[in-house]
Amino acid sequence: MATQYEITGADAKGIAASIERGVAGGALAPGAALPPVRRLAERLGVSPGTVATTYKELRRRGIVVTRGRGGTVVASAPAVASRRPPTVPEGVRDLAGGHPDPAFLPALLPPARLSPGARSHRSTPRLPHLEELTRGWYEADGVPSGHITFAHSALDCVARLLSVELRPGDAVAMEDPGYHHLLDLVPALGLRSVPVAVDDEGIRPEALRAALRAGARAVICSPRSQNPYGGCFSAGRRDALLEVLAEAPEVLVVENDHAADIAGAPLRTLTAGGPARWAQVRTVTKYLGTDLRWAALACDPTTLARHDGRLLLTSGWVSHVLQETVTRLMADPATQELVGRARTAYAERRTALIGELAARGIAAHGASGLNVWVPVRDEAAVVNGLRTHGWWVAAGARFRLAAAPGVRITTAGLTPADAARLAADFAAVLGESQVTYGG
């Protein structure tokens, strides 16, 4: 109950303004419960319909959210500050960033043949050759490619999809633990996150069903290379998830296949013959260049129209200079050979660390991708303990909603010899304080 702030007002506009003043001034903090409709109506001498209208308008604008029996509460503020990774200390090996090994990134040479000068590409927003390559890219993994478009990054694409599909206060089913930037993005859009537990096969069907029953109108998931847990869909898990999604045909399913070509696992997608509303987002930043802010989107026709309609009103199109750079790299045999070597090396490095940890009795997860997730009881103790041994790993707090603690280790640049040393140091840290590991 919000007992320390006196809500005032004689009509819906005045009541809403009073609540907004309380939120802006900090008297009504994120998560603070507002009085039930009838109770506030009696206190202010207005009709319950007036208060209900007030709350509805505040929900529409993302100022409050309704949590079923939990009532109406002030919406959570974006957690960007709390989830921002700390600065890497000097003199330690950085295994916290989630970055690829620079040795496997091709040299980026901007194209010179595109003419300079002011011009509009709204009539042809996508280069035909890149569009052709992108369709083949999707089709090779069984993703329908009848409707594709481009965006500036995976986050840019997901933000646009959610903003055109949902209203402030709507719920989104989110992987837990999950990608911290997506966990920040959802509340920043005025939406509500519903955690969905993951394991080595990706999101768990029973957790997804619970999220859908809680009112989730969109699902964001990773079919492989799940960050930070490393899970990837098995055929059985995919089929089980499709059964759950069949119960909610109106829900938008967004697959984030951010590390497609270097995931080290086959794609078992939910998009082929599954949901009526779907989208799969892919990027190239992890294996063609971290500065290539380009993403591809395959989706159903309704989603395509809504995404591109909003894109047209904002940036209009993705830079043709950027598109041409991506085209040259995707079509270059030497670059594709380098990507293949990266895929093999990343799988070897990831499995090497998991094996070294297992040999010392430490369970870890990383079925695909560039990261390994290690459950621990005390994240700070492990992070600080490994720091004294010269390693810097990511505390799991910024990846979690309701999941148990853990640490994320990026293995992209970790050779097998390094993995053995890290695992030995990890075991030593756990031995120094038994309370740091959750078993």
Side-chain angles (χ1 to χ4, degrees), residues 212 240-250 274-275:
L212 295 178
L241 292 172
L242 287 174
E243 289 183 11
V244 173
L245 291 169
E247 302 170 10
E250 74 285 356

Side-chain angles (χ1 to χ4, degrees), residues 95-134:
L95 302 178
H99 304 305
D101 186 340
F104 292 115
L105 297 179
L108 299 184
L109 298 175
R113 60 188 180 88
L114 289 178
S115 62
R119 62 191 183 279
S120 173
H121 294 304
R122 291 181 186 273
S123 60
T124 310
R126 295 180 295 278
L127 294 181
H129 191 192
L130 183 55
E131 189 167 357
E132 179 184 355
L133 289 171
T134 301

Side-chain angles (χ1 to χ4, degrees), residues 229-252:
Y229 206 90
C232 58
F233 291 169
S234 65
R237 175 61 55 85
R238 175 200 58 204
D239 294 345
L241 292 172
L242 287 174
E243 289 183 11
V244 173
L245 291 169
E247 302 170 10
E250 74 285 356
V251 168
L252 174 65

Side-chain angles (χ1 to χ4, degrees), residues 72-213:
T72 299
V73 303
V74 177
S76 298
V80 174
S82 63
R83 294 185 192 272
R84 186 172 296 152
T87 301
V88 180
E90 294 185 7
V92 298
R93 177 83 173 273
D94 182 10
L95 302 178
H99 304 305
D101 186 340
F104 292 115
L105 297 179
L108 299 184
L109 298 175
R113 60 188 180 88
L114 289 178
S115 62
R119 62 191 183 279
S120 173
H121 294 304
R122 291 181 186 273
S123 60
T124 310
R126 295 180 295 278
L127 294 181
H129 191 192
L130 183 55
E131 189 167 357
E132 179 184 355
L133 289 171
T134 301
R135 292 186 191 280
W137 190 25
Y138 276 120
E139 290 168 1
D141 285 322
V143 178
S145 66
H147 305 279
I148 66 166
T149 189
F150 302 155
H152 297 94
S153 69
L155 287 171
D156 169 69
C157 188
V158 173
R160 192 172 294 111
L161 290 173
L162 295 180
S163 65
V164 298
E165 292 289 341
L166 307 184
R167 302 287 296 275
D170 284 344
V172 182
M174 303 290 292
E175 296 171 327
D176 186 23
Y179 182 38
H180 58 100
H181 287 309
L182 281 174
L183 296 182
D184 291 339
L185 175 63
V186 167
L189 295 173
L191 304 173
R192 179 166 51 95
S193 298
V194 180
V196 179
V198 302
D199 57 24
D200 292 328
E201 296 180 74
I203 56 175
R204 295 167 55 181
E206 67 276 13
L208 177 60
R209 179 176 281 110
L212 295 178
R213 289 177 175 173

Side-chain angles (χ1 to χ4, degrees), residues 51-61:
V51 176
T53 299
T54 300
Y55 285 4
K56 180 178 180 180
E57 174 62 16
L58 292 173
R59 281 196 303 272
R60 186 187 69 80
R61 294 164 56 195

